[in-house]
Amino acid sequence: LAQGEPYVKICEDAHMPDFSTIWRWEQSNPDFGRQAQVALEHGTHFLAHDCLRIADAEEIDPRHKKIMIDTRIRLIGKWNAKRYGEKLQVDQRTELHEATDEELHEAIQKQFQSMAAQGVDLAGMLKDAGVEF
């Protein structure tokens, strides 16, 4: 797992337990689950470096390279989003002091427009969270 090999492949080995057994171990044994998570995180680094090996391999057809690299990048982005994900983090603050209702409404509209320009659907996020506006 720490060398980028997924559980599905690991579990194919005759001397290894099946996938459902490992899944149960992760759920029932917190230490095992933490160790597996650390190993998976290390495996994402392995896969990231493996993308370079694939890119440099002259014997691999360029179309296959693209599929191989894209698959690894997508997986490591999900498995280790903190390091490899494409998460957009927006941190914007606005301070208003003793504003009228009209000034507050205008400031909120500007905030919505600013976030929309960055591709953030704040209205949709608020609606999904059950916030009425």
Side-chain angles (χ1 to χ4, degrees):
L1 196 60
Q3 294 178 352
E5 191 171 354
Y7 274 144
V8 173
K9 184 79 171 151
I10 293 169
C11 293
E12 288 176 356
D13 292 341
H15 66 280
M16 296 300 289
D18 63 24
F19 183 83
S20 62
T21 300
I22 292 177
W23 180 255
R24 279 196 314 276
W25 290 349
E26 280 192 6
Q27 303 307 307
S28 64
N29 185 332
D31 286 337
F32 181 83
R34 280 190 293 278
Q35 290 174 3
Q37 187 59 41
V38 169
L40 182 62
E41 184 178 330
H42 288 296
T44 62
H45 305 313
F46 180 93
L47 290 172
H49 290 275
D50 195 38
C51 288
L52 297 174
R53 179 196 59 80
I54 294 166
D56 292 339
E58 293 179 13
E59 68 277 5
I60 301 175
D61 181 279
R63 291 172 295 175
H64 290 108
K65 283 184 187 187
K66 180 171 177 30
I67 293 169
M68 293 169 73
I69 291 171
D70 285 351
T71 301
R72 283 161 177 76
I73 288 172
R74 286 186 182 145
L75 287 175
I76 65 176
K78 300 286 185 197
W79 291 342
N80 192 349
K82 186 176 180 180
R83 176 97 182 242
Y84 296 106
E86 295 183 22
K87 183 178 175 182
L88 174 66
Q89 183 173 344
V90 177
D91 185 18
Q92 186 170 354
R93 302 166 199 266
T94 303
E95 289 188 32
L96 297 172
H97 302 282
E98 297 185 35
T100 65
D101 286 349
E102 188 175 294
E103 290 170 330
L104 285 172
H105 181 63
E106 185 179 324
I108 291 170
Q109 289 294 73
K110 285 182 181 178
Q111 187 70 32
F112 270 70
Q113 291 169 355
S114 172
M115 294 181 80
Q118 297 175 38
V120 177
D121 179 17
L122 184 58
M125 291 169 55
L126 291 172
K127 184 177 178 183
D128 291 346
V131 176
E132 294 184 32
F133 55 95

